């Protein structure tokens, strides 16, 4: 079955960096676009970044220039490098793939606070 497992979240000060990772299994990873979403308390889940089969990327305006998404098709993993973190980046971050339906990981908490 499809599984997505996120890791790498934590508490970081404003201006700091974190690297999230998503380990995927149960499907042919290299054939699918993968996305990172986030959901802050009291807000709707929003897309942060996507990476297509060929490696092309898209970012939400709020994270452009600060976040970088990448994929390793040999290891079935997707990473999200987050730099210059702000308090507004505090959220639970989810890995996502759309196959017959949308699949989600359990999420990893990112807290940006002094």
């Amino acid at each position: 079955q499809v599984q997505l497992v996120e890791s790498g979240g934590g508490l970081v000060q404003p201006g700091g960096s974190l690297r999230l990772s998503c380990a995927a299994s149960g499907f042919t990873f290299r054939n699918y676009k993968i996305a990172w979403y986030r959901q802050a308390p009291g807000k709707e889940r929003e897309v942060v970044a996507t990476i297509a089969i060929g490696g092309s990327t898209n970012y939400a305006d709020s994270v452009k220039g600060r976040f970088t998404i990448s994929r390793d098709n040999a290891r079935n993993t997707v990473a999200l490098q987050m730099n210059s973190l702000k308090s507004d980046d505090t959220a639970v971050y989810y890995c996502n793939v759309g196959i017959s339906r949308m699949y989600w990981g359990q999420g990893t908490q990112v807290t940006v606070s002094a």
Side-chain angles (χ1 to χ4, degrees), residues 39-45 90:
Q39 187 166 20
K43 295 187 177 181
E44 293 188 355
R45 194 169 295 189
T90 295

Side-chain angles (χ1 to χ4, degrees), residues 23-62:
S25 61
F27 63 101
T28 307
F29 180 82
R30 64 182 180 273
N31 289 350
Y32 292 91
K33 180 172 74 174
I34 306 296
W36 281 99
Y37 282 71
R38 67 186 180 186
Q39 187 166 20
K43 295 187 177 181
E44 293 188 355
R45 194 169 295 189
E46 62 175 0
V47 62
V48 174
T50 64
I51 186 163
I53 298 169
S56 61
T57 58
N58 279 289
Y59 298 93
D61 287 344
S62 59

Side-chain angles (χ1 to χ4, degrees), residues 74-88:
R75 299 186 178 189
N76 289 3
T77 58
V78 177
L80 185 69
Q81 177 67 41
M82 307 186 295
N83 299 328
S84 303
L85 283 161
K86 308 174 182 179
S87 57
D88 287 349

Side-chain angles (χ1 to χ4, degrees), residues 47-112:
V47 62
V48 174
T50 64
I51 186 163
I53 298 169
S56 61
T57 58
N58 279 289
Y59 298 93
D61 287 344
S62 59
V63 307
K64 279 181 182 176
R66 300 188 298 121
F67 290 12
T68 302
I69 188 172
S70 60
R71 67 189 298 159
D72 184 338
N73 288 337
R75 299 186 178 189
N76 289 3
T77 58
V78 177
L80 185 69
Q81 177 67 41
M82 307 186 295
N83 299 328
S84 303
L85 283 161
K86 308 174 182 179
S87 57
D88 287 349
D89 296 318
T90 295
V92 179
Y93 284 71
Y94 298 91
C95 190
N96 165 272
V97 64
I99 305 176
S100 54
R101 63 171 177 86
M102 300 284 266
Y103 288 89
W104 303 91
Q106 82 288 351
T108 186
Q109 175 70 49
V110 171
T111 303
V112 184

